[in-house]
Amino acid sequence: MPVFEKYQGWYVYFWANEEGEPIHFHIAKGQPTANATKIWILKDGTFKLAHNRSEVPIHILRRIYSLMLLNLEEYEKLWLDYQKDLTHIDD
């Protein structure tokens, strides 16, 4: 499980075995879990919240979105190192 970012105890990560899924990231406080908040990265570089099961407060989500935007190219490279394919959802 590659952890890309950590912000105020919130981990931004993906699972290394998600090959075939469009690019996304998860957010969880403390120990990452399989059922954590999931955010899709769209083709235009914006984000779409799939679900917020980790109940990340909106001000934390906004800050993490900002951090991810600043480092999107680096995140995509890390994703490709593990997933070997970079696809996006259309919407």
Side-chain angles (χ1 to χ4, degrees):
M1 173 209 54
V3 174
F4 182 72
E5 196 79 53
K6 189 174 176 186
Y7 177 74
Q8 294 185 354
W10 294 91
Y11 288 82
V12 178
Y13 63 95
F14 62 88
W15 298 102
N17 63 348
E18 294 185 306
E19 204 167 318
E21 262 200 78
I23 189 169
H24 63 277
F25 56 94
H26 299 279
I27 303 172
K29 182 102 179 187
Q31 184 68 26
T33 67
N35 214 16
T37 294
K38 184 175 188 175
I39 294 131
W40 299 106
I41 300 176
L42 306 180
K43 286 182 181 179
D44 64 1
T46 60
F47 307 115
K48 181 177 181 178
L49 183 65
H51 58 74
N52 191 7
R53 293 186 186 137
S54 296
E55 299 179 0
V56 183
I58 191 69
H59 70 281
I60 298 291
L61 276 177
R62 286 187 189 126
R63 182 64 183 136
I64 289 173
Y65 286 173
S66 295
L67 292 169
M68 291 301 291
L69 276 174
L70 289 173
N71 298 298
L72 191 55
E73 188 174 309
E74 187 179 330
Y75 184 78
E76 288 175 340
K77 287 178 184 173
L78 180 65
W79 177 273
L80 279 170
D81 286 345
Y82 284 86
Q83 310 302 353
K84 310 297 184 220
D85 186 30
L86 182 64
T87 60
H88 297 83
I89 63 169
D90 294 327
D91 190 44

